[in-house]
Amino acid sequence: MELSKLGVQETKKEKKTQEKGLSDLPGVEGEVVLRFAPNPSGPLHIGHARAACLNQEYVKRYGGKLILRVEDTDPRRVDPDAYQMIPEDLEWLKTEWQELYIQSDRLEIYHQYAEELIRLDQAYMCICPGDEFKKLKDQNQACPCRDLSLEENLELWKKMPDMSEGEAVLRVKTDLNHKNPAIRDWVAMRIVEEKHPRIGGDFRVYPMMNFSVAVDDHLMGVTHVLRGKDHLANSEKQKYLYQHFSWKIPEFIHYGRLKMEDIALSTSQARKGIEEGVYSGWDDPRLGTIRAIARRGIMQGAIEELMLEIGVKIADSTVSWKKIYGLNRNLLEDKSNRYFAVLNPEKVEIKGLPEVLKGNIERLKHPDFPEAGFRELYFDGAVYLGQEDLDNNRDKVVRLMDAVNIFIGDEVTYHSASLEEARKSDARIVHWVPSSSNYQVELVMPDASVSNGLIEPESREIRVGDVVQLERVGFARLDSLEGGKLTFYFAHK
RNA sequence: GCUCCGGUAGUGUAGUCCGGCCAAUCAUGUCGGCCUUUCGAGCCGAUGACUCGGGUUCGAAUCCCGGCCGGAGCACCA
């Protein structure tokens, strides 16, 4: 199967040495240094997965390294739990990083470079009120602070830690005539009067993301920056810094926004919902977090495949769950053992069942892989059937898989035994659970609704985290096992 | 409003830079048939797209102009 795929690929390339699929990185000279740089405001979501998978793939393609850099330079936007959750999520994504940096450990570095930038006459202390500066800036006007002498600047800079929030900022000189007002003399350092959740309260002068990112990307030797197109203007801002310091500018690659069908939740909205009790937690099945998706039985491979297919284009894209389910099903189909689980079960006693037909029934765990073995169900004529199957087959013959054919009338009666007989009667073939031995089962759907039912006894061998196929119901992941009750999260058909 | 950027089938994606081999690729979905003791899988088949209008050209998904639609940014967030 793999070979034929490769063969197709090889004959396809002619015009370019371009591989099919994910496009090549521009300006590659030897090894590549990439970085994944999330803000620790919560766990990773599907959007992060894109950056993570792409970075991972490029490192694999070109060799080099991936840096994980946690960007926590705004004490107000830090969720202490995120320092733990981010690496966990990356591990699930099978994204490996070779180096880890946390920006709140590096604040002194940013201070040093800020001061150097002042000495280079490429930054100045600005004590104008924000709205006044904006007014001038919008008219391409310099504010009075722009002309401060080096001495005056350094003096203010030294005093900055003692000033209060909003009193002063350090601005990078760019171009007051830049078409985009946002680029003009942007802020590099500002005062934040808030204890940092991770490093405590000694620092008050924090770098802005644009400053710390550029300094770090340079210091860490990053060759290619993959980021969302919301950073387009930021890349432009950062280029000024590279020029001021005479640093080599990395390749910036911007990709479009990723929207997820049915999920319009930002991290902050999700947090709010969790706090209000609307969602059970970061892994609530309705959320777009990595942990929620994982909990639903979506495999890492499906997400990776999806992300590599979407690639790096700048146009926005909307991910459909059907696409994910399709990819996921391809991954699960061969590996998932089958079990009978009946939802909304109704007990049925089959009248007139010949004694000889009672006994243990064996059924393959996987119809295509006999080597997976058999499971056993004891059949004695008392079974649970799904209410839906019962309702849909009123006055019809139905075959219980691997057992007998029954007629569903006012009461349920034995009809015949053979499969041929079932075919003749055009019987629907349904699954069932023995009434003599079973476990309770709970199935949590993607919308967080819950169905209850019963599952066959051999389900005891399923371990938490396994994804199995509940025959005729769909693929589901065992989430927990408590007091003889199995709770599954439904993935898809 | 200003600055910038996009728009290929239901969805995602290839092709767009270097116009013809594109009546447009692949995936996923959907529909039909076969098969199957799952409504899963498999096999076979089908459906379905170049945002619109001009222009350049022998020839345009590809180049140019305009419209329409969509998005991002315009912070002392990242």
Side-chain angles (χ1 to χ4, degrees):
Chain A
M1 214 192 295
E2 287 297 310
L3 285 174
S4 65
K5 270 186 198 163
L6 288 171
V8 170
Q9 274 190 2
E10 275 183 11
T11 54
K12 274 264 171 169
K13 52 175 160 178
E14 17 174 307
K15 207 168 186 177
K16 276 184 188 174
T17 47
Q18 172 79 308
E19 267 179 57
K20 217 175 168 212
L22 188 59
S23 56
D24 285 329
L25 244 26
V28 175
E29 298 161 9
E31 295 204 327
V32 118
V33 179
L34 306 176
R35 102 274 127 126
F36 177 67
N39 167 241
S41 58
L44 264 28
H45 52 68
I46 192 84
H48 290 110
R50 180 185 202 170
C53 291
L54 292 173
N55 277 311
Q56 169 77 3
E57 176 64 19
Y58 282 128
V59 168
K60 196 162 67 175
R61 183 180 296 185
Y62 294 106
K65 64 184 177 189
L66 177 62
I67 292 164
L68 169 58
R69 191 173 69 215
V70 182
E71 308 210 320
D72 56 350
T73 54
D74 180 0
R76 293 199 173 92
R77 280 194 44 166
V78 169
D79 172 1
D81 295 338
Y83 294 97
Q84 193 61 41
M85 294 191 284
I86 289 169
E88 285 169 5
D89 291 340
L90 284 176
E91 268 161 41
W92 185 84
L93 284 165
K94 292 197 168 77
T95 296
E96 294 170 13
W97 61 96
Q98 284 66 237
E99 290 172 21
L100 168 69
Y101 298 97
I102 298 178
Q103 287 192 316
S104 52
D105 287 337
R106 300 168 59 79
L107 295 175
E108 274 161 31
I109 295 171
Y110 310 128
H111 280 71
Q112 283 168 24
Y113 280 91
E115 189 169 322
E116 194 184 329
L117 198 64
I118 296 172
R119 292 184 191 281
L120 286 169
D121 192 30
Q122 299 293 0
Y124 59 95
M125 293 297 297
C126 178
I127 52 173
C128 300
D131 50 340
E132 226 158 275
F133 177 87
K134 183 176 162 42
K135 209 183 288 175
L136 289 167
K137 175 194 76 172
D138 287 344
Q139 299 167 42
N140 309 294
Q141 302 280 309
C143 84
C145 311
R146 206 178 205 256
D147 294 324
L148 291 176
S149 68
L150 176 58
E151 290 68 33
E152 290 168 313
N153 267 321
L154 286 175
E155 196 180 321
L156 278 167
W157 168 246
K158 296 275 189 271
K159 283 204 303 208
M160 198 174 176
D162 301 316
M163 294 193 241
S164 51
E165 191 163 324
E167 223 181 302
V169 294
L170 181 71
R171 290 189 182 278
V172 179
K173 287 186 182 174
T174 64
D175 178 359
L176 291 173
N177 291 311
H178 193 105
K179 280 184 296 186
N180 185 349
I183 310 291
R184 299 173 197 158
D185 285 16
W186 51 272
V187 174
M189 306 287 288
R190 87 298 202 176
I191 300 158
V192 183
E193 291 181 329
E194 176 91 18
K195 197 173 159 210
H196 190 109
R198 182 168 166 274
I199 55 163
D202 289 345
F203 275 89
R204 306 182 78 235
V205 178
Y206 285 90
M208 295 290 288
M209 165 266 182
N210 275 308
F211 191 77
S212 50
V213 162
V215 168
D216 277 350
D217 282 343
H218 171 258
L219 259 26
M220 295 169 190
V222 171
T223 59
H224 298 257
V225 174
L226 268 68
R227 50 165 61 140
K229 71 175 185 184
D230 46 322
H231 287 294
L232 237 17
N234 292 323
S235 296
E236 193 68 22
K237 289 182 185 180
Q238 291 169 25
K239 281 180 189 167
Y240 280 92
L241 214 51
Y242 283 91
Q243 279 158 10
H244 293 334
F245 284 121
S246 303
W247 291 341
K248 186 176 184 225
I249 299 174
E251 296 279 352
F252 293 112
I253 296 138
H254 301 95
Y255 48 79
R257 287 195 8 147
L258 201 60
K259 279 169 288 189
M260 193 106 185
E261 222 175 37
D262 303 328
I263 293 180
L265 290 177
S266 63
T267 300
S268 56
Q269 285 173 295
R271 163 170 282 114
K272 191 160 169 262
I274 293 167
E275 281 163 3
E276 288 170 356
V278 179
Y279 303 122
S280 59
W282 287 114
D283 53 3
D284 186 288
R286 289 163 289 186
L287 297 180
T289 58
I290 299 301
R291 46 199 60 212
I293 289 165
R295 195 177 195 188
R296 284 169 61 168
I298 306 300
M299 310 308 278
Q300 179 275 151
I303 297 301
E304 181 181 303
E305 220 178 313
L306 177 72
M307 294 308 167
L308 296 185
E309 183 175 320
I310 293 173
V312 290
K313 55 178 232 171
I314 198 159
D316 296 347
S317 35
T318 306
V319 175
S320 75
W321 281 104
K322 283 189 171 177
K323 175 81 179 182
I324 294 179
Y325 294 162
L327 295 173
N328 202 234
R329 191 181 298 115
N330 293 341
L331 261 27
L332 292 177
E333 170 59 27
D334 288 357
K335 292 174 190 136
S336 305
N337 285 158
R338 271 59 168 171
Y339 296 92
F340 284 165
V342 167
L343 299 176
N344 304 315
E346 268 187 37
K347 192 168 178 179
V348 162
E349 303 256 8
I350 301 163
K351 306 275 190 248
L353 179 73
E355 278 300 314
V356 288
L357 294 176
K358 296 182 180 174
N360 271 332
I361 282 168
E362 287 194 323
R363 185 165 168 84
L364 283 171
K365 285 183 188 168
H366 192 117
D368 306 320
F369 299 102
E371 57 272 29
F374 290 88
R375 54 204 156 101
E376 277 190 0
L377 296 103
Y378 183 68
F379 178 68
D380 64 1
V383 297
Y384 282 98
L385 296 182
Q387 193 188 344
E388 213 176 309
D389 282 334
L390 246 19
D391 292 348
N392 292 341
N393 293 286
R394 270 270 155 218
D395 300 319
K396 286 181 187 160
V397 178
V398 162
R399 176 163 183 83
L400 306 187
M401 279 187 209
D402 280 325
V404 300
N405 310 320
I406 57 175
F407 180 80
I408 301 174
D410 290 335
E411 52 182 18
V412 175
T413 52
Y414 171 75
H415 179 274
S416 52
S418 72
L419 180 60
E420 291 65 38
E421 203 61 46
R423 292 249 160 82
K424 212 180 290 174
S425 309
D426 204 22
R428 179 104 244 178
I429 299 167
V430 305
H431 62 289
W432 50 280
V433 165
S435 80
S436 55
S437 58
N438 56 57
Y439 294 108
Q440 282 200 303
V441 71
E442 193 177 83
L443 188 60
V444 180
M445 304 306 286
D447 65 0
S449 66
V450 179
S451 300
N452 287 288
L454 296 167
I455 188 166
E456 65 172 89
E458 294 224 20
S459 61
R460 74 174 79 85
E461 65 188 3
I462 306 171
R463 282 166 305 176
V464 170
D466 286 352
V467 181
V468 299
Q469 191 198 96
L470 306 176
E471 294 198 61
R472 298 208 310 136
V473 174
F475 293 93
R477 177 185 154 280
L478 183 60
D479 191 70
S480 65
L481 229 149
E482 259 175 65
K485 183 191 208 176
L486 291 77
T487 298
F488 286 89
Y489 271 58
F490 184 76
H492 47 78
K493 270 272 183 198

